[in-house]
Amino acid sequence: MDELRTREVENLISVLAKSDNPDDLYRLFEDLFTIREIKEISQRLEVARMLSAGKPYTTIEKVTGASATTIARVSKCLSYGSGGYAQALELLAAIEGASEK
């Protein structure tokens, strides 16, 4: 984790944390990442959501288009990672719950 905690990464995280306008984030993501990278990162979050819901790999592959390797990597992170996916999934659940009200 110390390798990751650089001034540059801290700056990026600060910008993302402070931005509350989705359109601004779309523009930033478009400038920072390729369309493919954005889709791959988004796909991993969806894979994590489906794994957490108990969906089988074959269903996840079919629905998301993710490879078995990607699904296994996300599964490993869910089980043994730093908890980032779990926190993101909690945020998604809260957002989805708030939008249903």
Side-chain angles (χ1 to χ4, degrees):
M1 183 62 101
D2 289 338
E3 259 182 62
L4 189 58
R5 288 191 175 267
T6 64
R7 182 182 56 80
E8 293 86 357
V9 174
E10 291 287 338
N11 287 342
L12 176 60
I13 290 171
S14 294
V15 167
L16 293 174
K18 295 290 183 188
S19 184
D20 59 356
N21 183 324
D23 290 332
D24 290 344
L25 288 170
Y26 271 103
R27 283 190 290 274
L28 177 61
F29 275 37
E30 229 180 322
D31 287 347
L32 287 174
F33 306 109
T34 64
I35 301 297
R36 181 178 178 172
E37 289 169 332
I38 296 167
K39 288 182 176 184
E40 287 173 352
I41 292 167
S42 302
Q43 179 189 64
R44 290 178 192 168
L45 187 57
E46 180 61 13
V47 167
R49 190 185 66 74
M50 293 180 78
L51 284 168
S52 292
K55 303 290 184 194
Y57 276 38
T58 53
T59 301
I60 296 170
E61 271 184 296
K62 190 180 293 183
V63 170
T64 67
S67 68
T69 302
T70 296
I71 297 167
R73 187 176 302 130
V74 172
S75 179
K76 182 178 177 183
C77 287
L78 281 169
S79 297
Y80 306 107
S82 60
Y85 277 122
Q87 188 173 11
L89 294 174
E90 285 180 24
L91 287 170
L92 276 178
I95 292 166
E96 289 170 353
S99 68
E100 291 175 2
K101 291 181 182 180

